[in-house]
């Protein structure tokens, strides 16, 4: 009996005459099989059709250690996409990819837009026959007709965007989309502006925002619609295919915008329970307003896909991506209802989260240290990046403060407290005396590894930091945060720890984004 891990690649059964969007799954399955061999696993393909019992019987026979789910349609229909994870969850097999509940919520675009709206995430207004218009629109306005269920720009062409005067025009646009896609459709307000893709990947148990991509439209005539329609995405003979170019390079002026995109993507991940790999698509209008168009759970990961391009930009090879996705699946391995295999198989990747990511977490044993070590540079980078709230420049600043402390030692104005669990850094704070103020300190950073939030580490870290500030003669400490809804839980944490809001600087960070200053009087030592 071999000790190599068996990974079943579950994919859609593809007809020979299917379109390029479906044939992409064949390319992806071959790439995954090659990557599995590279990382020392055995791989085998299992096809899913509308006869789910056939795939179920095959999985029971194979008894795979993990299933890599890349099903994107069943019988050519996107509405059946949640069937695959539902089957795997019922069988109790660990699987790579997003959950059935996440796929249910994101596959239906109208349903996902309702969830986004309820969660405070800005998404374009939309029209559904029989329900009317949701959102504020001043007619005449341009709308785009879309399938409710189908992704991959299916059914979208240059004629999909039209100006509407009211409900009658919107209904006509929906009927056209239904004819093009042979599926339920809706009309969405067209946001004229820039288009961005933000990919999310679980790396070492923490969802990370990969480098952001912008879709640029090169050599387009002034009156040509700038959208990534079906031909631009799939038809190599179409001019748009070659003129729609992905870029990861941005000017410094885009730093704040990129931060907004990262934070909005992480908000989507939290609201929709995304845990493995996904992509959030955005449009940004001329006024800089950010709109989420849709969330793609389990997006295409063919070697030439946008997701893999973003991962490569992050420094990950294709095999690295496959390894991380499988490692995430193993970290939440369920009790299998299929008989366990006879051999004892080693875990794919020895790296793991600091804590078991189960719901019933117990408070871990935490140790604290004040001295800074060289390996804290990467530890801090990983912890700050895990939040998804900060853009690259902010993360670099956090690391630079650690480097300064290493370089200057006692002469540095920055102090640190590191919280460790089993020898690994789980969180840290950075603080310092406010120049010219008697007994006042600024708390510059407090960050806890995303994978262990909710385990009480942040509270213990804050208490220890307050004690250290008091030991240095501090009487009062200050910190700053954002007023945005994304930071509501952060503000709640500060209040719970006894900090009080003492000042508001209106629109300090951006329009509608004020700086809130909190303070706490510290007990004397």
């Amino acid at each position: 009996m071999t000790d190599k891990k068996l990974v079943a690649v579950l994919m859609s059964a593809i007809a020979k005459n299917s379109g390029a969007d479906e044939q992409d799954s064949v390319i992806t399955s071959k790439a995954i099989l090659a990557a599995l061999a590279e990382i020392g696993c055995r791989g085998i393909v299992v096809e899913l059709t509308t006869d789910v019992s056939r795939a179920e019987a095959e999985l029971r026979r194979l008894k795979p250690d993990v299933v890599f789910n890349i099903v994107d349609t069943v019988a050519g229909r996107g509405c059946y996409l949640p069937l695959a994870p539902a089957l795997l969850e019922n069988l109790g097999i660990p699987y790579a990819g997003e959950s059935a509940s996440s796929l249910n919520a994101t596959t239906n675009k109208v349903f996902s837009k309702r969830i986004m709206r309820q969660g405070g995430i800005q998404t374009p207004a939309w029209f559904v026959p029989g329900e009317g218009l949701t959102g504020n629109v001043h007619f005449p306005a341009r709308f785009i007709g879309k399938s409710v269920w189908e992704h991959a720009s299916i059914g979208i062409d240059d004629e999909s965007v039209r100006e509407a005067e009211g409900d009658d025009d919107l209904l006509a646009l929906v009927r056209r989309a239904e004819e093009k896609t042979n599926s339920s459709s809706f009309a969405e307000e067209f946001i004229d502006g820039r288009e961005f893709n933000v990919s999310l990947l679980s790396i070492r148990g923490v969802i990370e925002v990969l480098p952001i991509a912008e879709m640029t439209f090169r050599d387009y005539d002034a009156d040509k619609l700038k959208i990534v329609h079906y031909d631009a995405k799939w038809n190599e003979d179409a001019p748009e295919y070659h003129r729609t170019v992905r870029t990861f390079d941005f000017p410094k002026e885009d730093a704040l915008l990129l931060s907004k995109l990262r934070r909005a993507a992480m908000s989507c991940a939290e609201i929709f329970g995304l845990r493995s790999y996904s992509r959030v698509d955005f449009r940004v209008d001329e006024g800089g307003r950010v709109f989420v168009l849709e969330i793609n759970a389990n997006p295409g990961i063919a070697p030439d896909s946008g997701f893999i391009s973003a991962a490569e930009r992050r420094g990950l090879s294709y095999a690295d991506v496959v390894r991380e996705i499988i490692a995430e699946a193993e970290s939440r391995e369920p009790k299998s209802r299929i008989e366990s295999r006879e051999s004892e198989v080693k875990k794919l990747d020895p790296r793991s989260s600091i804590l078991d990511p189960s719901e019933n977490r117990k408070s871990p044993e935490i140790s604290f240290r004040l001295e800074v070590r060289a390996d804290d540079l990467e530890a801090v980078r990983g912890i700050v990046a895990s939040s998804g709230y900060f853009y690259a420049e902010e993360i670099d600043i956090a690391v630079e403060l650690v480097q300064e402390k290493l370089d200057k030692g006692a002469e540095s104005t920055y102090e640190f407290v590191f919280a460790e669990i089993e020898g690994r850094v789980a969180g840290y704070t950075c603080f310092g005396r406010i120049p010219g103020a008697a007994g006042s300190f600024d708390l510059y950073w407090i960050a806890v590894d995303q994978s262990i939030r909710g385990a009480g580490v942040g509270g213990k870290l804050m208490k220890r930091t307050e004690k250290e500030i008091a030991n240095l003669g501090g009487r009062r400490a200050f910190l700053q945060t954002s007023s945005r809804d994304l930071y509501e839980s952060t503000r709640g944490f500060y209040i719970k720890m006894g900090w009080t809001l003492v000042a508001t600087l209106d629109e300090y960070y951006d329009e509608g984004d004020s700086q809130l200053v909190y303070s706490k009087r510290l007990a004397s030592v």
Side-chain angles (χ1 to χ4, degrees):
M1 180 72 75
T2 179
D3 63 351
K4 283 188 176 182
K5 187 180 304 297
L6 177 61
V7 179
V9 180
L10 186 63
M11 64 175 291
S12 312
I14 307 298
K16 291 183 179 180
N17 61 345
S18 60
D21 55 294
E22 289 191 72
Q23 289 294 334
D24 200 55
S25 294
V26 177
I27 297 170
T28 302
S29 67
K30 292 178 179 179
I32 292 174
L33 290 175
L36 290 172
E38 184 177 339
I39 62 178
C41 296
R42 292 183 297 141
I44 188 169
V45 170
V46 176
E47 293 186 339
L48 181 67
T49 67
T50 50
D51 184 1
V52 178
S53 62
R54 292 179 61 183
E56 179 178 350
E58 182 67 359
L59 291 169
R60 288 184 180 277
R61 184 185 69 81
L62 291 169
K63 299 174 185 173
D65 298 289
V66 181
V67 172
F68 201 118
N69 174 32
I70 60 167
V71 172
D72 53 5
T73 63
V74 179
R77 294 290 184 181
C79 58
Y80 300 131
L81 211 158
L83 273 177
L87 168 64
L88 298 170
E89 289 171 16
N90 184 58
L91 290 174
I93 306 175
Y95 67 92
E98 303 298 349
S99 67
S101 59
S102 294
L103 282 170
N104 266 317
T106 57
T107 303
N108 184 317
K109 298 188 187 78
V110 172
F111 184 55
S112 67
K113 287 171 74 68
R114 292 192 183 109
I115 294 174
M116 284 188 275
R117 189 176 179 86
Q118 292 171 359
I121 295 174
Q122 191 162 237
T123 186
W126 70 93
F127 171 86
V128 177
E131 297 181 12
L133 182 67
T134 300
N136 297 318
V137 175
H138 299 288
F139 291 102
R142 288 200 292 178
F143 276 73
I144 181 170
K146 291 182 173 182
S147 168
V148 170
W149 297 102
E150 307 302 334
H151 291 258
S153 297
I154 291 175
I156 296 179
D157 57 22
D158 282 334
E159 299 301 316
S160 294
V161 178
R162 295 183 178 181
E163 187 169 283
E165 296 282 352
D167 286 6
D168 289 345
D169 290 337
L170 294 175
L171 182 60
L173 187 59
V174 171
R175 297 303 181 219
R176 180 186 184 276
E178 289 175 342
E179 291 176 5
K180 290 279 292 182
T181 63
N182 193 28
S183 67
S184 300
S185 299
F186 71 109
E188 180 181 74
E189 180 186 12
F190 178 69
I191 305 300
D192 195 6
R194 301 167 70 181
E195 183 159 334
F196 298 86
N197 304 140
V198 182
S199 298
L200 304 170
L201 174 65
S202 176
I203 299 178
R204 301 186 184 184
V206 177
I207 289 292
E208 182 175 318
V209 177
L210 298 180
I212 294 173
E214 179 176 8
M215 301 307 297
T216 61
F217 305 90
R218 308 285 175 84
D219 301 322
Y220 271 48
D221 293 337
D223 60 346
K224 181 167 177 59
L225 198 63
K226 295 180 176 62
I227 59 172
V228 185
H229 53 45
Y230 188 88
D231 279 352
K233 188 173 287 187
W234 301 108
N235 185 1
E236 295 185 18
D237 294 328
E240 295 90 342
Y241 181 90
H242 303 282
R243 294 175 183 171
T244 305
V245 180
R246 181 183 302 109
T247 181
F248 295 95
D249 299 317
F250 298 96
K252 291 183 179 180
E253 306 86 75
D254 280 339
L256 181 58
L257 172 59
L258 296 176
S259 177
K260 289 180 180 179
L261 293 170
R262 288 187 185 90
R263 293 171 184 177
M266 287 300 293
S267 293
C268 290
E270 182 176 354
I271 290 174
F272 289 94
L274 304 175
R275 63 192 185 183
S276 182
Y277 70 103
S278 56
R279 192 188 74 239
V280 184
D281 296 337
F282 294 87
R283 276 264 174 169
V284 178
D285 68 11
E286 292 181 353
R289 294 184 301 166
V290 173
F291 294 85
V292 176
L293 299 183
E294 54 193 66
I295 294 105
N296 292 272
N298 299 358
I301 54 171
D304 64 347
S305 66
F307 188 95
I308 296 301
S309 294
E312 289 174 345
R313 189 79 172 193
R314 164 67 168 71
L316 301 172
S317 67
Y318 195 92
D320 290 334
V321 173
V322 170
R323 179 187 289 109
E324 294 291 351
I325 292 173
I326 293 177
E328 188 281 327
E330 289 184 318
S331 73
R332 52 183 164 85
E333 181 175 347
K335 297 290 186 182
S336 178
R337 297 193 187 112
I338 296 180
E339 293 181 15
S340 61
R341 296 169 63 213
E342 297 176 10
S343 61
E344 192 70 32
V345 182
K346 294 181 180 179
K347 286 289 185 184
L348 171 65
D349 192 331
R351 297 172 300 176
S352 61
S353 298
I354 296 173
L355 294 177
D356 185 330
S358 61
E359 293 296 328
N360 300 317
R361 291 175 174 164
K362 295 181 180 179
S363 295
E365 292 294 326
I366 304 171
S367 60
F368 296 97
R369 62 176 168 85
L370 308 182
E371 70 278 8
V372 178
R373 303 188 307 229
D375 56 359
D376 290 329
L377 293 167
E378 284 309 306
V380 165
R381 181 179 296 280
I383 289 170
V384 176
S386 76
S387 71
Y389 291 175
F390 305 103
Y391 51 83
E393 291 82 356
E394 291 175 306
I395 296 171
D396 288 342
I397 290 172
V399 176
E400 286 170 7
L401 299 185
V402 179
Q403 186 64 62
E404 178 179 315
K405 186 66 175 181
L406 286 169
D407 294 340
K408 295 185 177 181
E411 295 182 4
S412 172
T413 59
Y414 300 107
E415 306 293 340
F416 292 83
V417 175
F418 294 92
E420 294 185 327
I421 299 173
E422 297 181 355
R424 291 181 60 187
V425 178
Y428 87 104
T429 57
C430 175
F431 56 94
R433 193 183 302 274
I434 299 176
S440 293
F441 281 69
D442 256 332
L443 178 56
Y444 302 115
W445 289 91
I446 177 168
V448 174
D449 193 301
Q450 181 75 21
S451 67
I452 58 168
R453 290 191 181 170
V457 176
K460 294 178 181 178
L461 178 59
M462 178 68 91
K463 288 180 180 179
R464 180 56 183 262
T465 300
E466 292 170 1
K467 179 181 177 180
E468 294 302 327
I469 292 175
N471 287 339
L472 293 171
R475 295 181 296 101
R476 183 175 287 277
F478 297 84
L479 59 81
Q480 297 81 38
T481 190
S482 167
S483 66
R484 295 180 64 233
D485 291 343
L486 182 63
Y487 290 85
E488 182 177 359
S489 62
T490 301
R491 298 191 295 269
F493 168 74
Y494 295 148
I495 293 170
K496 180 180 177 180
M497 297 304 299
W499 292 68
T500 303
L501 179 65
V502 294
T504 300
L505 304 181
D506 290 337
E507 299 189 338
Y508 179 88
Y509 297 113
D510 193 10
E511 182 178 348
D513 188 4
S514 302
Q515 183 187 83
L516 306 182
V517 181
Y518 287 80
S519 179
K520 183 175 182 178
R521 181 174 292 279
L522 305 177
S524 58
V525 178

